[in-house]
Amino acid sequence: MNFASVRIITDDVDRLVEFYEKVMGVSAERPAPVFAELALPSCTLAIGHSQTTQLFGADSVVGANNRTVIIEFRVDDVEAEYVRLKPFVEHWVKEPTMMPWGNRSMLFRDPDGNLLNLFEPVTEDAIKRFRGRH
């Protein structure tokens, strides 16, 4: 089994695509106006319009309604990412902070309210935990 992607449902695909292109530093592939994919070597973030939810079943997905999932990206320098992203991120939850499990993390929300965590393993144990992962 291979983990393929995480998909966010939204009423404004263009707005979220623009936001995630800035955060992730990659351009989105747009196979259809209602769908986009932002691919990194380690994962793909898909963004679909709420119009597509009818394909999954009535009321199966509700856009801009997530308060349980955190989208996480490991970065080389969380402080540098904070400086880079600060001008356009509107909703900061936590500025760079040391976490008890050895990561330096910062958390913010995308325009639909989804929570993102950009983190850097900094302790020896945390660095070991991520060694060999993409």
Side-chain angles (χ1 to χ4, degrees):
M1 182 180 300
N2 290 312
F3 187 50
S5 68
V6 170
R7 185 179 311 191
I8 299 173
I9 298 298
T10 183
D11 289 335
D12 193 339
V13 173
D14 293 336
R15 178 182 67 170
L16 275 193
V17 165
E18 180 181 343
F19 179 85
Y20 280 99
E21 284 178 331
K22 287 179 184 175
V23 170
M24 296 171 67
V26 298
S27 296
E29 296 287 327
R30 299 288 300 260
V34 294
F35 184 75
E37 290 182 316
L38 295 102
L40 296 173
S42 58
C43 68
T44 297
L45 179 64
I47 300 173
H49 195 280
S50 56
Q51 295 169 344
T52 64
T53 61
Q54 63 193 347
L55 301 169
F56 306 122
D59 298 322
S60 61
V61 184
V62 178
N65 200 30
N66 172 29
R67 290 289 193 232
T68 60
V69 174
I70 303 172
I71 301 168
E72 299 186 305
F73 295 97
R74 189 175 72 227
V75 299
D76 291 330
D77 185 340
V78 79
E79 299 295 336
E81 291 297 324
Y82 178 69
V83 170
R84 183 180 72 84
L85 298 174
K86 191 165 178 142
F88 74 88
V89 171
E90 292 184 26
H91 300 100
W92 288 95
V93 174
K94 187 166 287 287
E95 294 181 354
T97 303
M98 190 64 192
M99 296 297 181
W101 43 88
N103 294 336
R104 187 141 177 85
S105 296
M106 64 180 183
L107 291 102
F108 56 94
R109 295 198 181 277
D110 73 13
D112 277 4
N114 299 300
L115 189 60
L116 284 86
N117 175 26
L118 272 61
F119 71 93
E120 172 188 0
V122 293
T123 65
E124 188 177 325
D125 286 343
I127 291 167
K128 267 196 244 179
R129 195 170 51 252
F130 286 97
R131 190 170 290 134
R133 295 189 199 179
H134 289 284

